[in-house]
Amino acid sequence: MHSIDIGINKENRHDIADGLKRLLADSYTLYLQTHNFHWNVTGPQFRELHLMFEEHYTELAVAVDDIAERIRTLDVAAPGTYKAFAQLSSIDEVEGVPAANEMVERLTKGHEQVVKTCRDVLKVAQEADDESTAALVSDRMRVHEKTAWMLRATIA
């Protein structure tokens, strides 16, 4: 394979990729949590939450692929195991099946955490003049901010 020359030095590419790995792990963990809640939600808001969670995990499935491909574009291997994601993620695993309102609260916190992870990665990307990563991360941040708002609105 040829060496990579995209205007970002190796050290910066690795620093950016490290942040993206955390974002990937947070996003994948949130994807799994959302899918789990989609399957297991019950109660008076069943239909609304079941459909909303499906929209969210479907969007996250595309996002994890975009993030992993950006890591590969930087010539770094993307993590892809539960063990790696568990070590990298800032989102806590869920034990059992919480009540619907707790599901919404946990997902809200998860999306807010992803926003914070995005902010950290964005700083590193901007310092390295990596507009492609900055655009990806900025777009992800916007999606998660809006999703957290919508989740908060369901339990307000």
Side-chain angles (χ1 to χ4, degrees), residues 1 54 57-58 64 101 112 117 120 143 154:
M1 191 142 175
E54 183 175 10
Y57 79 69
T58 300
V64 296
N101 276 353
E112 290 172 344
T117 302
D120 292 341
V143 168
T154 67

Side-chain angles (χ1 to χ4, degrees), residues 70 122 125-126 130-142:
R70 183 62 194 159
L122 186 59
Q126 288 171 331
D130 179 358
E131 187 60 38
S132 296
T133 298
L136 170 67
V137 171
S138 179
D139 289 346
R140 295 303 321 144
M141 189 165 38
R142 201 170 23 259

Side-chain angles (χ1 to χ4, degrees), residues 49-69:
L49 293 176
H50 182 76
L51 294 172
M52 180 172 56
F53 295 164
E54 183 175 10
E55 289 172 11
H56 294 175
Y57 79 69
T58 300
E59 194 281 329
L60 281 161
V62 173
V64 296
D65 195 54
D66 290 344
I67 297 164
E69 288 178 356

